[in-house]
Amino acid sequence: MNNRKLDQKRAPIYEALKDYKAKRVVSFDVPGHKQGRGNPDLTDFLGQQCMSVDVNSMKPLDNLCHPVGVICEAEEIAADAFGAQHVFFMVNGTSSAVQAMVMSVCKAGEKLIMPRNVHRSAINALIVSGAIPVYADPGVNQSLGIPLGMSLEDVKRAIAAHPEAKAVLVNNPTYYGVCANLAEIVRAAHAAGMKVLVDEAHGTHFYFGEHTPLCAMAAGADMAAVSMHKTGGSLTQSSFLLCGKGVNPGYVRQVINLTQTTSGSYLLLSSLDISRRNLALGGREIFRKVTEFAEYARGEINHIGGLYAFSKELLNGDSFYDFDVTKLSVHTRDIGLAGIEVYDILRDDYGIQIEFGDISNILAIISVGDRSLELERLISALSEIKRLYARDPAGMFDHEYIEPEIVLTPQEAFFSPKRSMPIGNSEGEICAEFVMCYPPGIPILAPGERITREILNYIVYAKEKGCFLTGTEDLTIQNINVVETKEHGFMV
Amino acid sequence: MDLWYKEQHTKDVQFSIRVEKQLFTARSEFQRIDVFYSEEFGRFMSLDGLMMVTEKDEFIYHEMIVHVPMAVNPAIQNVLVVGGGDGGAVRELVRYDGIQKIDLVEIDQMVVDTCRKYLPQTACKLDDPRVSIFYENGLRFVRSCENKYDLIIVDSTDPFGPGEGLFTKEFYGNCYHALTKDGILVNQHETPYYQDYARSMQLAHQRIQTFFPICKVYQFHMPTYPSGHWLFGFASKTYDPIEHLDAERWNALGLKTRYYNTELHRGCFALPNYVKDLLEGNDGQ
Ligand SMILES: Cc1ncc(COP(=O)(O)O)c(C=O)c1O
């Protein structure tokens, strides 16, 4: 990472777009808006500059599905910046990067060791590919009600119990900023001949900041999905897929192309290119400031009393091996408010939008775009919320992670005959779809899991508190699809 | 050669002053600061290209922001001024012997330094022994205060820029908390005349109302501010600005003022109908 052979000041896709624009090429190709002329309202809204670079693949601009020109160059420079063997520019979110990782290493019927608190995109990949999940317990911090990273022992146990598994998937960090002992997990997996896939949707800055938790590529992992758009400053939906040494990038590209658009957006691609340049050149300073903001905010929030902005004091050497201090996660239950309630009050009463609130915590994302003025508003609003709304926390739900009972693989459950029934009556059935709060988009129920009373209680509580539940075919979340027949169940 | 200071009051309205010379320009951590000299207005300072204070008309603003609350409760002892780095409000406050303590919280030290150097007319009393200056974010400062001030004066810039936090619900809530049981909050309340400003005014009024039982708005004439028609908000836990006006006691102090007097005090709370409409949440059309 430090030995940068390639010039990080360059941004080949951006440069090629500027060139293309300067040539004033007459276009008889798609997109049909033709530099915005065909859609004046949209051009007025998004700006001429933006529309003029919304263009199609062509030789001088390369082709995302088969990069041999400027996209290929941009990939090489990005790979250098991330210390990866190869980097793919992704235009369908980190979801597509996670899916490409899983599908590159696991075929139908093959096993993947993973924590249950993964993003839905990972389980979606299992539905598409037919791979089988082996869940390792992520562990829970009971007092905060948050799932952690996996403990090394649990991963080793899963590896020993399933030696034929193809890979281990790790969140680095979790949404809350929790990191597992990635280096040791990589060692253990590699020793057993398994690949390591890392969901680094929330870890872009690990590659550019100082004193951050270890990043996947430095830990020797095989692949990582990095949400450049989350904390790195690129446009929503743009993302990077990183490959380490043990991976054949040509094959990965073919896997990506199974589901990738053939019309990759140059707005997204150039935003990745320019953001990578920005972070490679100034990331250290940017994330130093981000860290300073987050640390300051944590101090001030903890000073208010009742609210707990947690950090490294909770490290336990294992399932909470490291903490990403740029994550401003605040535990709210002790003031008698669910995180989701604080989240709603912040938006409705104070005009402050944070990333998410769950049952017991809120998370504010602090990133390259922040200034101290806004941070002061958040802190002051929290102190007001405590003053005005705090109540007795008795009777509040206090844990978040519910160990699933897996009956069918996600693919089997999703594609099996189903029937729809009221959620409240579904205890004991096998779930055939997802139920989750969004954000964070971590499934409460995934296809193939047994529906228990405990889970139903949790769903009712989350709904009552105002969580935005998603995933079911029924958009009103009244009914749930359950698996019709259980005879041919594939037991895991 | 003609040198003109120009300021965009709306996208279609421009205000300009012929300038003799520019005395100072710099970019602080928060904003661009300029000081000019004009024949008509004397020295004047702009922040991010928006007029803040001129030697010629600042007395109107500063007398109105200070004497209105002081005439309602002459027993005020502890005062917080948020913003107001030019020192004008402090200059009027130190004229009251009863005031024991004035805390001035200004986010931008360069504003204070610039005013000390170029605008002694307003900054002249910043060294009064009762005055303490804190270079801090106002929102942050108030957050930790409880039952501490009899009067809070919010002498802020517009809510687009560093002053933004001083127009928020969290700030007004924190102010309520920082005031004593008879506390008064006076705040810069923008103009009702142009739409963008009027919206800020409406929002500020709405938000203050959620905390204070008494919320009034008063007006004055400010020649160098957009539209020239400007407002302050008067919010309080117990005092009504007209009912509790102690004219006799205030007049007995014998303070000489150029704009404020106790008759004007009563009159300035009488608002045009369209302003009342706006404050009630209607669009004023
Ligand atoms: C842990 C994790 N992985 C993957 C994703 C998917 O990212 P995207 O929304 O860019 O598809 C998310 C998004 O919220 C996430 O939180």
Side-chain angles (χ1 to χ4, degrees):
Chain A
M1 204 170 17
N2 295 323
N3 175 25
R4 289 191 178 125
K5 307 174 293 292
L6 297 160
D7 186 357
Q8 293 294 331
K9 290 199 201 72
R10 292 205 48 211
I13 300 175
Y14 159 75
E15 290 156 18
L17 282 169
K18 289 227 305 199
D19 261 10
Y20 172 78
K21 219 171 108 86
K23 287 194 179 118
R24 306 178 63 86
V25 175
V26 177
S27 66
F28 282 99
D29 62 350
V30 294
H33 62 64
K34 309 269 169 127
Q35 283 79 47
R37 285 192 304 278
N39 196 339
D41 287 349
L42 185 62
T43 306
D44 189 42
F45 181 56
L46 293 181
Q48 170 63 38
Q49 172 77 5
C50 177
M51 297 299 278
S52 71
V53 292
D54 182 44
V55 291
N56 195 22
S57 305
M58 61 185 72
K59 263 194 189 152
L61 296 180
D62 208 358
N63 186 323
L64 181 61
C65 298
H66 190 99
V68 289
V70 290
I71 295 179
C72 177
E73 270 184 78
E75 285 177 347
E76 282 170 10
I77 298 174
D80 194 42
F82 283 90
Q85 196 66 18
H86 193 87
V87 165
F88 292 97
F89 280 51
M90 306 298 285
V91 292
N92 190 20
T94 306
S95 294
S96 66
V98 170
Q99 284 160 16
M101 292 198 300
V102 173
M103 296 196 293
S104 296
V105 298
C106 291
K107 294 190 284 289
E110 292 180 340
K111 289 182 180 170
L112 174 64
I113 297 170
M114 62 205 276
R116 175 58 176 68
N117 56 329
V118 289
H119 184 254
R120 67 175 296 181
S121 56
I123 299 176
N124 280 338
L126 305 178
I127 295 177
V128 176
S129 70
I132 301 169
V134 173
Y135 290 122
D137 184 354
V140 181
N141 180 310
Q142 283 295 348
S143 71
L144 296 180
I146 60 167
L148 302 173
M150 297 175 287
S151 82
L152 181 59
E153 280 317 306
D154 281 332
V155 175
K156 283 184 174 166
R157 212 168 303 138
I159 289 173
H162 303 272
E164 73 285 16
K166 292 294 174 190
V168 180
L169 185 125
V170 186
N171 291 315
N172 190 51
T174 67
Y175 225 137
Y176 301 91
V178 177
C179 297
N181 186 348
L182 187 59
E184 285 305 318
I185 291 175
V186 169
R187 209 184 313 269
H190 283 176
M194 297 178 193
K195 301 274 189 237
V196 177
L197 314 178
V198 185
D199 184 339
E200 282 187 321
H202 303 280
T204 308
H205 46 294
F206 292 3
Y207 291 87
F208 301 98
E210 284 179 296
H211 315 301
T212 60
L214 190 64
C215 62
M217 289 298 115
D222 298 282
M223 300 178 87
V226 176
S227 264
M228 198 64 169
H229 74 86
K230 286 198 161 78
T231 53
S234 67
L235 289 179
T236 295
Q237 214 174 308
S238 64
S239 182
F240 281 130
L241 173 58
L242 317 183
C243 298
K245 284 197 249 345
V247 179
N248 171 3
Y251 178 64
V252 174
R253 187 177 332 102
Q254 289 184 318
V255 171
I256 292 171
N257 279 335
L258 289 176
T259 50
Q260 177 173 267
T261 175
T262 51
S263 312
S265 160
Y266 277 88
L267 300 178
L268 299 181
L269 294 173
S270 59
S271 86
L272 282 170
D273 206 18
I274 293 169
S275 310
R276 181 272 311 146
R277 180 174 71 177
N278 184 35
L279 294 190
L281 300 178
R284 184 181 291 218
E285 175 56 22
I286 289 168
F287 292 115
R288 189 193 58 70
K289 221 161 111 191
V290 168
T291 304
E292 204 178 283
F293 279 161
E295 295 288 20
Y296 166 74
R298 238 188 308 278
E300 292 284 303
I301 289 169
N302 286 334
H303 191 68
I304 294 170
L307 295 164
Y308 178 28
F310 52 90
S311 184
K312 290 194 171 179
E313 67 279 4
L314 297 180
L315 298 188
N316 63 13
D318 196 10
S319 56
F320 203 147
Y321 185 77
D322 206 347
F323 181 68
D324 171 11
V325 294
T326 69
K327 298 278 183 299
L328 186 58
S329 314
V330 183
H331 185 64
T332 61
R333 206 183 49 226
D334 295 342
I335 60 167
L337 293 172
I340 184 70
E341 293 175 294
V342 174
Y343 168 92
D344 283 338
I345 297 171
L346 278 171
R347 187 197 51 246
D348 295 343
D349 288 8
Y350 295 93
I352 296 173
Q353 179 66 46
I354 55 171
E355 179 70 7
F356 77 86
D358 63 24
I359 294 302
S360 316
N361 304 276
I362 55 169
L363 173 69
I365 299 272
I366 300 174
S367 70
V368 35
D370 280 297
R371 300 178 303 176
S372 70
L373 293 171
E374 283 80 12
L375 211 55
E376 292 297 349
R377 288 194 51 190
L378 174 64
I379 301 162
S380 287
L382 287 173
S383 86
E384 278 292 286
I385 289 173
K386 185 209 161 187
R387 187 169 70 80
L388 299 171
Y389 299 93
R391 54 179 185 236
D392 183 358
M396 295 194 61
F397 237 73
D398 67 352
H399 78 125
E400 181 87 348
Y401 182 72
I402 300 169
E403 187 78 40
E405 181 197 337
I406 315 292
V407 191
L408 297 174
T409 70
Q411 189 183 55
E412 278 178 311
F414 188 83
F415 291 117
S416 60
K418 296 172 264 210
R419 73 196 144 88
S420 174
M421 65 186 306
I423 285 197
N425 304 342
S426 64
E427 183 177 352
E429 303 284 347
I430 304 167
C431 189
E433 56 188 358
F434 286 104
V435 181
M436 63 210 132
C437 299
Y438 198 89
I442 296 167
I444 301 166
L445 275 169
E449 294 177 1
R450 176 89 62 205
I451 302 171
T452 63
R453 177 49 45 196
E454 194 189 13
I455 291 172
L456 292 176
N457 289 344
Y458 181 86
I459 292 173
V460 169
Y461 185 79
K463 230 173 160 176
E464 215 175 81
K465 289 292 179 191
C467 289
F468 181 54
L469 285 159
T470 66
T472 52
E473 194 178 306
D474 173 14
L475 288 178
T476 65
I477 322 274
Q478 305 292 328
N479 297 302
I480 191 165
N481 283 337
V482 299
V483 174
E484 180 74 277
T485 47
K486 296 173 201 165
E487 303 89 63
H488 54 275
F490 183 103
M491 307 303 268
V492 181
Chain B
M1 186 195 76
D2 261 359
L3 197 57
W4 288 82
Y5 167 85
K6 287 190 190 171
E7 177 177 327
Q8 213 67 37
H9 279 181
T10 78
K11 87 183 189 340
D12 300 314
V13 179
Q14 205 173 51
F15 172 79
S16 45
I17 298 176
R18 201 175 62 77
V19 165
E20 285 300 313
K21 61 180 170 184
Q22 181 163 21
L23 302 176
F24 177 77
T25 181
R27 180 164 280 287
S28 76
E29 186 190 341
F30 302 97
Q31 54 207 341
R32 177 180 166 158
I33 303 173
D34 291 282
V35 182
F36 304 91
Y37 175 75
S38 111
E39 286 284 347
E40 179 67 42
F41 287 97
R43 293 182 172 190
F44 67 92
M45 176 175 74
S46 68
L47 298 178
D48 282 340
L50 294 175
M51 176 64 77
M52 287 301 123
V53 43
T54 82
E55 284 183 330
K56 187 165 185 185
D57 68 0
E58 59 84 13
F59 71 100
I60 303 175
Y61 186 97
H62 294 126
E63 287 186 12
M64 288 301 277
I65 207 167
V66 167
H67 300 309
V68 170
M70 289 308 296
V72 173
N73 179 12
I76 284 170
Q77 296 185 338
N78 292 309
V79 184
L80 171 66
V81 180
V82 183
D86 56 48
V90 167
R91 181 195 63 207
E92 295 302 310
L93 285 166
V94 298
R95 302 175 71 187
Y96 293 87
D97 293 336
I99 292 181
Q100 293 173 355
K101 190 169 166 43
I102 302 167
D103 289 341
L104 175 71
V105 180
E106 164 63 55
I107 196 167
D108 194 345
Q109 177 162 5
M110 197 188 278
V111 168
V112 175
D113 293 346
T114 304
C115 292
R116 279 188 197 273
K117 183 151 178 215
Y118 295 99
L119 289 164
Q121 180 179 317
T122 56
C124 54
K125 296 294 181 192
L126 289 174
D127 292 323
D128 187 282
R130 289 170 290 172
V131 177
S132 315
I133 307 183
F134 301 86
Y135 298 109
E136 256 190 61
N137 180 306
L139 194 51
R140 171 171 203 259
F141 186 90
V142 203
R143 193 158 66 224
S144 56
C145 304
E146 190 180 343
N147 192 25
K148 190 166 170 196
Y149 297 105
D150 308 309
L151 170 64
I152 297 180
I153 291 177
V154 187
D155 181 2
S156 66
T157 53
D158 297 318
F160 352 98
E164 186 180 326
L166 306 183
F167 281 81
T168 58
K169 184 167 174 178
E170 51 274 25
F171 177 66
Y172 300 131
N174 286 167
C175 284
Y176 182 88
H177 196 52
L179 284 168
T180 54
K181 71 175 192 341
D182 292 327
I184 297 174
L185 172 74
V186 172
N187 76 308
Q188 197 280 93
H189 222 312
E190 307 286 292
T191 173
Y193 194 74
Y194 292 126
Q195 200 181 28
D196 286 353
Y197 292 92
R199 202 164 289 134
S200 308
M201 168 200 86
Q202 282 178 305
L203 275 177
H205 189 64
Q206 261 170 30
R207 289 170 180 158
I208 294 172
Q209 271 180 325
T210 62
F211 298 105
F212 291 87
I214 297 160
C215 286
K216 299 275 163 73
V217 169
Y218 60 102
Q219 57 182 352
F220 57 102
H221 173 237
M222 196 62 198
T224 54
Y225 280 10
S227 86
H229 179 198
W230 214 256
L231 304 175
F232 286 143
F234 180 106
S236 140
K237 298 187 180 182
T238 51
Y239 288 107
D240 181 279
I242 297 176
E243 207 181 302
H244 296 104
L245 166 65
D246 200 341
E248 234 170 279
R249 186 164 164 192
W250 190 82
N251 286 314
L253 294 173
L255 297 177
K256 203 166 137 5
T257 45
R258 290 173 64 205
Y259 191 87
Y260 178 81
N261 59 54
T262 47
E263 283 131 73
L264 182 109
H265 182 120
R266 288 192 187 90
C268 69
F269 284 91
L271 299 174
N273 286 346
Y274 86 95
V275 180
K276 286 195 201 171
D277 270 355
L278 284 169
L279 291 172
E280 279 157 22
N282 307 319
D283 63 5
Q285 299 296 306

